[in-house]
Amino acid sequence: MPLDQSFVGRTYPPTAPYQVGREKIREFAKAIGATDPLHLDPEAARASGYADVVAPATFPIVLTMAASRQIVDDPELGVDYSRVVHGDQRFAYKRPVVAGDELVCVNTVEEIMSRGGHDFMTTRTDVSTSAGEPVVSVWSKLVVRGEG
């Protein structure tokens, strides 16, 4: 069953705040092999003008992936997650994510199209501080494979 095209433009309510922790950043950096001291050492980060360690560029996936459940779990949209393949991901930063940030996500369905029996859905997650300061926008393209 194709995805419901009327969802294009739909925005979901903000998520609960996510507290970015220093250890979470360090763990993520180590997991992806990022060795820059800005990700690991608070003193190095402070010497570069940051309040604390700086998250690697792909770190927001930690919270945006969880936030996107608002969309994929929406029964009216009709996503069969067992048929989903990740197609693309991109980030547009206003400023880096730093330990101590309290971030919220707002999800929007930007595009749904069908090609070759598959549905392609592009979502945008706008990440900001709980005080409303924009931090990063994250786009994700999901492919919902057809049954054929």
Side-chain angles (χ1 to χ4, degrees):
M1 177 172 174
L3 298 179
D4 185 342
Q5 294 280 330
S6 72
F7 274 70
V8 173
R10 184 174 291 194
T11 297
Y12 289 78
T15 61
Y18 177 93
Q19 184 72 40
V20 179
R22 181 185 293 162
E23 289 309 312
K24 188 64 90 172
I25 289 175
R26 286 176 173 161
E27 290 168 359
F28 188 87
K30 288 178 183 176
I32 66 169
T35 58
D36 187 323
L38 293 179
H39 306 313
L40 306 169
D41 180 5
E43 293 307 317
R46 286 188 197 103
S48 292
Y50 298 101
D52 209 320
V53 294
V54 178
T58 55
F59 179 84
I61 199 68
V62 170
L63 54 151
T64 61
M65 187 79 168
S68 71
R69 297 307 306 189
Q70 287 180 314
I71 296 171
V72 298
D73 289 346
D74 189 330
E76 294 177 28
L77 178 58
V79 174
D80 177 353
Y81 202 70
S82 71
R83 305 192 71 74
V84 169
V85 177
H86 188 259
D88 188 34
Q89 192 80 44
R90 64 188 167 97
F91 302 82
Y93 274 89
K94 300 290 184 189
R95 70 156 178 86
V97 173
V98 177
D101 281 342
E102 186 174 83
L103 303 175
V104 296
C105 298
V106 175
N107 293 302
T108 301
V109 177
E110 285 204 336
E111 180 182 52
I112 296 174
M113 65 175 158
S114 295
R115 283 193 308 225
H118 308 291
D119 288 324
F120 297 77
M121 177 173 61
T122 301
T123 63
R124 184 185 78 241
T125 304
D126 294 312
V127 181
S128 61
T129 66
S130 55
E133 176 192 5
V135 176
V136 61
S137 292
V138 180
W139 286 267
S140 181
K141 183 170 292 211
L142 301 179
V143 181
V144 182
R145 296 175 291 116
E147 294 186 28

